Amino acid sequence: MKLLLTSAGVNNKSIHEALVTMLDKPIADSTALCIPTAMYGHPWVGPGVKTWEFISGNSENPMVDLGWKSVGVLELTALPSIDRERWVPLVKETDVLLVSGGDALYLAHWMRQSGLAELLPTLNAVYVGMSAGSMVMAPNIGEDFVGWTPPTGGDEALGMVDFSIFPHLDHEMLPENTMADAERWATGLNGPAYGIDDETAIKVMDGEVEVVSEGNWRLFSS
């Protein structure tokens, strides 16, 4: 699986070009599924109007509204209640998964409960994460980002990459997201971590990690 891990969506030319390269075909010829699940676990973004805005392509974060051939919705909380034969073939045929922000641990929980986490490594699709949708790929998210508490406690995510992500670096609406805050957060982790602003994404293909940025970012070594 190819990963494009963003802070705020596909919101500049460099990230857009990286996505097209990873798809290996035009966006207009590519099918997408959007996954809004993380939003329900975070009090700022769901449920309600912001979830609708993401699904309908009316949010401020370009993902669903990029001109896909088709866009469907994959709601992870519903999947355990239906037969796998009804959704697994759909996921396997899809070119890209668009995964919203919200609460990373809530998303990790439902990725495991639904069976999607087990399926992800077998897919040829491009996974595009935004904020929590990117953080969920890490081994851990760090105590600063623990909101919804999983049944097992802790801050463990899916561990599909070997680094953690601090999104929305230096965002004007988030005074607790300064570079100093990110550096302090990174000291509590056992591995490498990236602080990325909303103009930055991390591209992962064939085990190679590349930062795509028109903004600011920093790699914190363990």
Side-chain angles (χ1 to χ4, degrees), residues 21-87:
T21 299
M22 296 170 82
L23 287 166
D24 202 28
K25 62 180 176 180
I27 287 178
D29 295 334
S30 302
T31 59
L33 286 173
C34 72
I35 300 176
T37 305
M39 302 183 78
Y40 301 117
H42 198 292
W44 293 1
V45 290
V49 65
K50 289 186 180 296
T51 308
W52 174 84
E53 288 174 348
F54 172 74
I55 293 172
S56 62
N58 286 284
S59 75
E60 298 177 353
N61 306 100
M63 289 180 75
V64 174
D65 56 338
L66 296 176
W68 305 102
K69 181 179 179 180
S70 67
V71 181
V73 179
L74 189 70
E75 176 44 61
L76 304 187
T77 61
L79 299 186
S81 64
I82 60 178
D83 292 337
R84 285 176 61 87
E85 291 74 17
R86 290 188 59 191
W87 66 270

Side-chain angles (χ1 to χ4, degrees), residues 1-9 35-39 42 45 54 63 76 97-108 111 116 120 126-138 141 145 157-161 163 165 167-168 196 202:
M1 185 148 203
K2 306 168 187 175
L3 307 177
L4 186 62
L5 307 177
T6 80
S7 177
I35 300 176
T37 305
M39 302 183 78
H42 198 292
V45 290
F54 172 74
M63 289 180 75
L76 304 187
L97 300 178
L98 306 171
V99 187
S100 78
D103 190 288
L105 295 184
Y106 185 80
L107 177 59
M111 281 191 168
L116 182 63
L120 285 177
V126 178
Y127 176 106
V128 182
M130 175 177 66
S131 191
S134 298
M135 297 167 68
V136 73
M137 292 286 111
I141 65 168
F145 291 108
L158 298 183
M160 293 190 182
V161 297
F163 55 83
I165 296 175
H168 312 303
I196 62 173
I202 302 172

